[in-house]
Amino acid sequence: MDSNPKMRKEFLDSTRSSLFPDEVLERVLSLLKSHKDRSAVSLVCKDWYNAESWSRTHVFIGNCYSVSPEIVARRFPRIKSVTLKGKPRFSDFNLVPENWGADVHPWFVVFAAKYPFLEELRLKRMAVSDESLEFLALNFPNFKVLSLLSCDGFSTDGLAAIATHCKNLTQLDVQENGIDDKSGNWLSCFPENFTSLEVLNFANLNTDVNFDALERLVSRCKSLKVLKANKSISLEHLQRLLVCAPQLTELGTGSFMPELTARQYAELGSSFNQLKNLNTLSGLWEATAPYLPVLYPACTNLTFLNLSYAFLQSIELASLLCQCPRLRRLWVLDTVGDKGLEAVGSNCPLLEELRVFPADPFDEEVIHGVTEAGFLAVSYGCRRLHYVLYFCRQMTNAAVATIVQNCPDFTHFRLCIMNPGQPDYLTNEPMDEAFGAVVRTCTKLQRLSVSGLLTDLTFEYIGQYAKNLETLSVAFAGSSDRGMQCMLEGCPKLRKLEIRDCPFGNAALLSGLEKYESMRSLWMSACNVTMNGCRVLAREMPRLNVEVMKEDGSDDSQADKVYVYRSVVGPRRDAPPCVLTLSGL
């Protein structure tokens, strides 16, 4: 707490009624790390509200338009770390206009005035310009951590500003962003006496980087624990980096090309053998069978293996998994096939999370892929599994029922049958009983994504059984408004509902009037909602922001894309012309 006791006493309410001394209350609050727990504590009484405000150093903001930076600064005067999310998740699928908003710069301006001691920023789906990154670098002298995930609007010039001016930087994590990748020279902007970096992730940059500058940087930063390089880094370059950083715990390898000489191969194997603390491995672009054995010495302690960029076949995956006895998280492409997933079930008894991505989701003629057989094999061998994201070509009700019987502790179950509206391919029945089995069996379920041919019966099951569900994603499903009504009426903890290409209309939308204020957001696109229905929602619930995104040439009476969220500041002022805001305070 602040060293000025008078200031602290004035901040805490002068009419204190709590029996706890300030010091005891501060000690108790310091033990609470979850933002949900701290928010709950702040509701106990006015004294606790004030103490929680004064003692909090990190804030999580799930929607940048739910609150203003000015309100955040008044509520929490001592923040050092901020997590800020912007655009709806469907921006990842190009369903949100590019100029939709979520500009981070107004937040930076307020933070510079109120939080000059800011140390950490984690941004997701925000619009970030080079000017904003330079402003950040120049206005926060103690700044240490920058994470940009699925952001856009900036270039490597912005990264150069961060490298040049943030003298105490410990983490620079740039993932899945829309970056104008001008050159790799930004790495040379780190000063020659800079040594504090602990995390460096530039895996999704497309251009070559200045390898000499990277090698010098890695050599200087003796506390570097995480290094994730892009595919411009060759195996020869990788070997030189590993010699400089045997202390790494997480590694993104870069490309596994071009070919190595026998001597280079031996040296690379020796370097991997020195990675005694490695627990996470990713990258492996263009990996081929002859080079996989070079990884084996570093696999013993791996808990996370991310192969989502590696087009491995089943035999290659099996040979690698044999070396990973402690694996808990695995991401793969569907090129591994069901045989590859059988190897997962045989070799990964501790596995808790599995993600299977499509190598080519738009090629309907593709011959590779995974089916219910692979998923079943994993469920028999990996009984601790509780998180799954599974893209597949076919599925059956019976398979899903068996899977959740084998793994009843699922908290996240995201099944994507890639052909929309596909039934159980053996019985030709809807997939209702599959998801009924999921919500009946998995009582801890927090996130669910449904797919396949689904009637309203699926959503009756969800409303009846999914009492801990927080996020639900629905596409190409349902029979009538009743389906959406069941979800809204029956899931008490629902916070995010995402719906696209479903027959739900105004009656479904308006059935959630009592629900939306307790939720973070509702997304509906390509449904049967009209502008009049949205206007009624806006009129009945003035504390919500109801935004409609209109497409060129669309029917004026239809609401193409609807985004509903609660806000304490009313309608935003930066919406582009294609976004109509129908409500506010």
Side-chain angles (χ1 to χ4, degrees), residues 11 37 66 109 159 219 227 274 284 348 398 407 413 435 494 529:
F11 186 86
D37 290 343
S66 65
V109 172
L159 300 182
S219 298
L227 175 61
Q274 298 304 310
L284 284 79
C348 306
C407 306
F413 193 93
F435 291 100
L494 192 63
V529 176

Side-chain angles (χ1 to χ4, degrees), residues 198 222-227 242 244-252 270-281 295-304 326:
E198 299 173 7
K222 301 303 182 182
S223 297
L224 189 70
K225 300 297 184 184
V226 178
L227 175 61
L242 296 185
C244 300
Q247 75 279 2
L248 290 176
T249 60
E250 299 185 24
L251 173 66
S270 176
S271 297
F272 269 107
N273 193 43
Q274 298 304 310
L275 300 179
K276 304 300 184 183
N277 300 314
L278 196 69
N279 57 53
T280 297
L281 182 63
L295 302 171
Y296 293 171
C299 289
T300 303
N301 294 315
L302 286 185
T303 58
F304 181 19
R326 294 182 171 88

Side-chain angles (χ1 to χ4, degrees), residues 371-403:
T371 70
E372 79 285 356
F375 203 169
L376 279 166
V378 172
S379 74
Y380 281 115
C382 309
R383 298 302 181 104
R384 298 187 182 187
L385 197 66
H386 64 77
Y387 188 122
V388 70
L389 172 61
Y390 197 80
F391 284 82
C392 61
R393 301 286 172 179
Q394 62 187 44
M395 188 57 62
T396 68
N397 286 299
V400 174
T402 301
I403 289 164

Side-chain angles (χ1 to χ4, degrees), residues 71-110:
I71 291 175
V72 173
R74 286 198 301 270
R75 173 78 167 85
F76 305 111
R78 295 177 54 79
I79 293 299
K80 294 183 179 181
S81 172
V82 176
T83 298
L84 181 62
K85 295 185 177 182
K87 299 175 185 178
R89 190 177 70 90
F90 278 106
S91 64
D92 294 345
F93 306 99
N94 299 318
L95 293 180
V96 176
E98 288 187 8
N99 62 340
W100 182 82
D103 183 7
V104 77
H105 199 77
W107 291 82
F108 283 3
V109 172
V110 173

